[in-house]
PDB file of all heavy atoms in Angstrom:
ATOM      1  N   ILE A  74     -44.829 -43.088  46.907  1.00  0.00           N
ATOM      2  CA  ILE A  74     -45.056 -43.238  48.344  1.00  0.00           C
ATOM      3  C   ILE A  74     -45.671 -41.936  48.854  1.00  0.00           C
ATOM      4  O   ILE A  74     -45.117 -40.858  48.639  1.00  0.00           O
ATOM      5  CB  ILE A  74     -43.742 -43.536  49.092  1.00  0.00           C
ATOM      6  CG1 ILE A  74     -43.187 -44.883  48.635  1.00  0.00           C
ATOM      7  CG2 ILE A  74     -43.952 -43.515  50.597  1.00  0.00           C
ATOM      8  CD1 ILE A  74     -41.845 -45.235  49.214  1.00  0.00           C
ATOM      9  N   THR A  75     -46.813 -42.061  49.527  1.00  0.00           N
ATOM     10  CA  THR A  75     -47.472 -40.892  50.101  1.00  0.00           C
ATOM     11  C   THR A  75     -47.330 -40.945  51.615  1.00  0.00           C
ATOM     12  O   THR A  75     -47.711 -41.929  52.238  1.00  0.00           O
ATOM     13  CB  THR A  75     -48.961 -40.865  49.708  1.00  0.00           C
ATOM     14  OG1 THR A  75     -49.047 -40.904  48.285  1.00  0.00           O
ATOM     15  CG2 THR A  75     -49.638 -39.607  50.210  1.00  0.00           C
ATOM     16  N   ALA A  76     -46.775 -39.890  52.187  1.00  0.00           N
ATOM     17  CA  ALA A  76     -46.577 -39.816  53.634  1.00  0.00           C
ATOM     18  C   ALA A  76     -47.426 -38.685  54.181  1.00  0.00           C
ATOM     19  O   ALA A  76     -47.285 -37.532  53.774  1.00  0.00           O
ATOM     20  CB  ALA A  76     -45.110 -39.569  53.958  1.00  0.00           C
ATOM     21  N   ARG A  77     -48.330 -39.027  55.103  1.00  0.00           N
ATOM     22  CA  ARG A  77     -49.198 -38.001  55.697  1.00  0.00           C
ATOM     23  C   ARG A  77     -49.338 -38.209  57.195  1.00  0.00           C
ATOM     24  O   ARG A  77     -50.289 -37.783  57.797  1.00  0.00           O
ATOM     25  CB  ARG A  77     -50.568 -38.020  55.010  1.00  0.00           C
ATOM     26  CG  ARG A  77     -51.266 -39.358  55.031  1.00  0.00           C
ATOM     27  CD  ARG A  77     -52.704 -39.271  54.561  1.00  0.00           C
ATOM     28  NE  ARG A  77     -52.847 -38.691  53.257  1.00  0.00           N
ATOM     29  CZ  ARG A  77     -53.112 -39.364  52.147  1.00  0.00           C
ATOM     30  NH1 ARG A  77     -53.272 -40.657  52.200  1.00  0.00           N
ATOM     31  NH2 ARG A  77     -53.228 -38.749  51.007  1.00  0.00           N
ATOM     32  N   ARG A  78     -48.353 -38.878  57.783  1.00  0.00           N
ATOM     33  CA  ARG A  78     -48.404 -39.193  59.204  1.00  0.00           C
ATOM     34  C   ARG A  78     -48.221 -37.975  60.105  1.00  0.00           C
ATOM     35  O   ARG A  78     -48.752 -37.928  61.198  1.00  0.00           O
ATOM     36  CB  ARG A  78     -47.288 -40.185  59.532  1.00  0.00           C
ATOM     37  CG  ARG A  78     -47.801 -41.498  60.057  1.00  0.00           C
ATOM     38  CD  ARG A  78     -46.672 -42.354  60.533  1.00  0.00           C
ATOM     39  NE  ARG A  78     -45.885 -42.837  59.406  1.00  0.00           N
ATOM     40  CZ  ARG A  78     -45.086 -43.878  59.460  1.00  0.00           C
ATOM     41  NH1 ARG A  78     -44.943 -44.528  60.571  1.00  0.00           N
ATOM     42  NH2 ARG A  78     -44.413 -44.263  58.407  1.00  0.00           N
ATOM     43  N   PHE A  79     -47.441 -37.004  59.645  1.00  0.00           N
ATOM     44  CA  PHE A  79     -47.071 -35.879  60.497  1.00  0.00           C
ATOM     45  C   PHE A  79     -47.734 -34.589  60.018  1.00  0.00           C
ATOM     46  O   PHE A  79     -48.301 -34.537  58.938  1.00  0.00           O
ATOM     47  CB  PHE A  79     -45.547 -35.725  60.516  1.00  0.00           C
ATOM     48  CG  PHE A  79     -44.844 -36.949  61.009  1.00  0.00           C
ATOM     49  CD1 PHE A  79     -44.212 -37.813  60.118  1.00  0.00           C
ATOM     50  CD2 PHE A  79     -44.844 -37.284  62.354  1.00  0.00           C
ATOM     51  CE1 PHE A  79     -43.577 -38.956  60.565  1.00  0.00           C
ATOM     52  CE2 PHE A  79     -44.207 -38.421  62.816  1.00  0.00           C
ATOM     53  CZ  PHE A  79     -43.571 -39.264  61.918  1.00  0.00           C
ATOM     54  N   ARG A  80     -47.605 -33.539  60.834  1.00  0.00           N
ATOM     55  CA  ARG A  80     -48.284 -32.271  60.536  1.00  0.00           C
ATOM     56  C   ARG A  80     -47.434 -31.306  59.725  1.00  0.00           C
ATOM     57  O   ARG A  80     -47.918 -30.279  59.298  1.00  0.00           O
ATOM     58  CB  ARG A  80     -48.685 -31.592  61.845  1.00  0.00           C
ATOM     59  CG  ARG A  80     -49.800 -32.327  62.546  1.00  0.00           C
ATOM     60  CD  ARG A  80     -50.163 -31.674  63.840  1.00  0.00           C
ATOM     61  NE  ARG A  80     -50.615 -30.300  63.634  1.00  0.00           N
ATOM     62  CZ  ARG A  80     -51.398 -29.648  64.455  1.00  0.00           C
ATOM     63  NH1 ARG A  80     -51.847 -30.251  65.540  1.00  0.00           N
ATOM     64  NH2 ARG A  80     -51.746 -28.413  64.219  1.00  0.00           N
ATOM     65  N   THR A  81     -46.162 -31.630  59.500  1.00  0.00           N
ATOM     66  CA  THR A  81     -45.306 -30.707  58.743  1.00  0.00           C
ATOM     67  C   THR A  81     -44.797 -31.361  57.463  1.00  0.00           C
ATOM     68  O   THR A  81     -44.633 -32.572  57.397  1.00  0.00           O
ATOM     69  CB  THR A  81     -44.084 -30.261  59.579  1.00  0.00           C
ATOM     70  OG1 THR A  81     -43.276 -31.408  59.851  1.00  0.00           O
ATOM     71  CG2 THR A  81     -44.509 -29.610  60.879  1.00  0.00           C
ATOM     72  N   GLN A  82     -44.540 -30.525  56.471  1.00  0.00           N
ATOM     73  CA  GLN A  82     -44.010 -31.017  55.205  1.00  0.00           C
ATOM     74  C   GLN A  82     -42.665 -31.701  55.399  1.00  0.00           C
ATOM     75  O   GLN A  82     -42.423 -32.780  54.839  1.00  0.00           O
ATOM     76  CB  GLN A  82     -43.828 -29.856  54.221  1.00  0.00           C
ATOM     77  CG  GLN A  82     -45.085 -29.361  53.598  1.00  0.00           C
ATOM     78  CD  GLN A  82     -44.818 -28.280  52.557  1.00  0.00           C
ATOM     79  OE1 GLN A  82     -43.697 -27.771  52.446  1.00  0.00           O
ATOM     80  NE2 GLN A  82     -45.848 -27.932  51.810  1.00  0.00           N
ATOM     81  N   LEU A  83     -41.804 -31.100  56.201  1.00  0.00           N
ATOM     82  CA  LEU A  83     -40.463 -31.637  56.398  1.00  0.00           C
ATOM     83  C   LEU A  83     -40.501 -33.044  56.992  1.00  0.00           C
ATOM     84  O   LEU A  83     -39.823 -33.955  56.503  1.00  0.00           O
ATOM     85  CB  LEU A  83     -39.643 -30.696  57.295  1.00  0.00           C
ATOM     86  CG  LEU A  83     -38.205 -31.137  57.553  1.00  0.00           C
ATOM     87  CD1 LEU A  83     -37.425 -31.148  56.246  1.00  0.00           C
ATOM     88  CD2 LEU A  83     -37.544 -30.221  58.557  1.00  0.00           C
ATOM     89  N   ARG A  84     -41.288 -33.233  58.056  1.00  0.00           N
ATOM     90  CA  ARG A  84     -41.363 -34.562  58.698  1.00  0.00           C
ATOM     91  C   ARG A  84     -41.969 -35.589  57.749  1.00  0.00           C
ATOM     92  O   ARG A  84     -41.541 -36.732  57.706  1.00  0.00           O
ATOM     93  CB  ARG A  84     -42.201 -34.488  59.977  1.00  0.00           C
ATOM     94  CG  ARG A  84     -41.666 -33.598  61.057  1.00  0.00           C
ATOM     95  CD  ARG A  84     -40.868 -34.259  62.172  1.00  0.00           C
ATOM     96  NE  ARG A  84     -41.352 -35.480  62.736  1.00  0.00           N
ATOM     97  CZ  ARG A  84     -42.075 -35.599  63.831  1.00  0.00           C
ATOM     98  NH1 ARG A  84     -42.459 -34.523  64.481  1.00  0.00           N
ATOM     99  NH2 ARG A  84     -42.429 -36.776  64.284  1.00  0.00           N
ATOM    100  N   ASN A  85     -42.982 -35.185  56.970  1.00  0.00           N
ATOM    101  CA  ASN A  85     -43.589 -36.113  56.017  1.00  0.00           C
ATOM    102  C   ASN A  85     -42.611 -36.464  54.890  1.00  0.00           C
ATOM    103  O   ASN A  85     -42.567 -37.605  54.435  1.00  0.00           O
ATOM    104  CB  ASN A  85     -44.881 -35.533  55.442  1.00  0.00           C
ATOM    105  CG  ASN A  85     -46.027 -35.686  56.414  1.00  0.00           C
ATOM    106  OD1 ASN A  85     -46.110 -36.647  57.161  1.00  0.00           O
ATOM    107  ND2 ASN A  85     -46.927 -34.716  56.417  1.00  0.00           N
ATOM    108  N   ARG A  86     -41.805 -35.490  54.472  1.00  0.00           N
ATOM    109  CA  ARG A  86     -40.799 -35.747  53.436  1.00  0.00           C
ATOM    110  C   ARG A  86     -39.771 -36.743  53.947  1.00  0.00           C
ATOM    111  O   ARG A  86     -39.427 -37.710  53.263  1.00  0.00           O
ATOM    112  CB  ARG A  86     -40.123 -34.431  53.053  1.00  0.00           C
ATOM    113  CG  ARG A  86     -39.079 -34.554  51.978  1.00  0.00           C
ATOM    114  CD  ARG A  86     -38.468 -33.172  51.695  1.00  0.00           C
ATOM    115  NE  ARG A  86     -37.628 -33.181  50.530  1.00  0.00           N
ATOM    116  CZ  ARG A  86     -36.380 -33.643  50.503  1.00  0.00           C
ATOM    117  NH1 ARG A  86     -35.833 -34.130  51.608  1.00  0.00           N
ATOM    118  NH2 ARG A  86     -35.682 -33.621  49.387  1.00  0.00           N
ATOM    119  N   GLU A  87     -39.291 -36.538  55.171  1.00  0.00           N
ATOM    120  CA  GLU A  87     -38.316 -37.464  55.769  1.00  0.00           C
ATOM    121  C   GLU A  87     -38.913 -38.855  55.933  1.00  0.00           C
ATOM    122  O   GLU A  87     -38.237 -39.859  55.699  1.00  0.00           O
ATOM    123  CB  GLU A  87     -37.850 -36.927  57.127  1.00  0.00           C
ATOM    124  CG  GLU A  87     -36.983 -35.701  57.019  1.00  0.00           C
ATOM    125  CD  GLU A  87     -36.756 -35.018  58.358  1.00  0.00           C
ATOM    126  OE1 GLU A  87     -37.381 -35.434  59.374  1.00  0.00           O
ATOM    127  OE2 GLU A  87     -35.975 -34.057  58.403  1.00  0.00           O
ATOM    128  N   ASP A  88     -40.182 -38.916  56.320  1.00  0.00           N
ATOM    129  CA  ASP A  88     -40.869 -40.196  56.489  1.00  0.00           C
ATOM    130  C   ASP A  88     -40.961 -40.934  55.156  1.00  0.00           C
ATOM    131  O   ASP A  88     -40.708 -42.141  55.091  1.00  0.00           O
ATOM    132  CB  ASP A  88     -42.272 -39.963  57.070  1.00  0.00           C
ATOM    133  CG  ASP A  88     -43.012 -41.251  57.344  1.00  0.00           C
ATOM    134  OD1 ASP A  88     -42.381 -42.215  57.841  1.00  0.00           O
ATOM    135  OD2 ASP A  88     -44.228 -41.310  57.062  1.00  0.00           O
ATOM    136  N   ALA A  89     -41.303 -40.233  54.087  1.00  0.00           N
ATOM    137  CA  ALA A  89     -41.421 -40.864  52.770  1.00  0.00           C
ATOM    138  C   ALA A  89     -40.063 -41.385  52.301  1.00  0.00           C
ATOM    139  O   ALA A  89     -39.967 -42.502  51.777  1.00  0.00           O
ATOM    140  CB  ALA A  89     -41.985 -39.867  51.762  1.00  0.00           C
ATOM    141  N   ILE A  90     -39.004 -40.600  52.513  1.00  0.00           N
ATOM    142  CA  ILE A  90     -37.661 -41.029  52.108  1.00  0.00           C
ATOM    143  C   ILE A  90     -37.230 -42.248  52.904  1.00  0.00           C
ATOM    144  O   ILE A  90     -36.671 -43.208  52.357  1.00  0.00           O
ATOM    145  CB  ILE A  90     -36.649 -39.867  52.249  1.00  0.00           C
ATOM    146  CG1 ILE A  90     -36.961 -38.792  51.208  1.00  0.00           C
ATOM    147  CG2 ILE A  90     -35.219 -40.355  52.121  1.00  0.00           C
ATOM    148  CD1 ILE A  90     -36.172 -37.514  51.362  1.00  0.00           C
ATOM    149  N   GLU A  91     -37.522 -42.263  54.210  1.00  0.00           N
ATOM    150  CA  GLU A  91     -37.157 -43.409  55.050  1.00  0.00           C
ATOM    151  C   GLU A  91     -37.928 -44.658  54.630  1.00  0.00           C
ATOM    152  O   GLU A  91     -37.380 -45.764  54.625  1.00  0.00           O
ATOM    153  CB  GLU A  91     -37.402 -43.091  56.527  1.00  0.00           C
ATOM    154  CG  GLU A  91     -36.974 -44.191  57.466  1.00  0.00           C
ATOM    155  CD  GLU A  91     -35.542 -44.676  57.249  1.00  0.00           C
ATOM    156  OE1 GLU A  91     -34.645 -43.848  57.015  1.00  0.00           O
ATOM    157  OE2 GLU A  91     -35.323 -45.905  57.295  1.00  0.00           O
TER     158      GLU A  91
END
Side-chain angles (χ1 to χ4, degrees):
I74 296 175
T75 304
R77 56 170 56 105
R78 242 188 289 200
F79 301 103
R80 290 179 60 156
T81 64
Q82 284 184 349
L83 181 64
R84 298 262 316 264
N85 281 326
R86 181 181 190 281
E87 290 169 354
D88 183 41
I90 291 172
E91 183 52 41

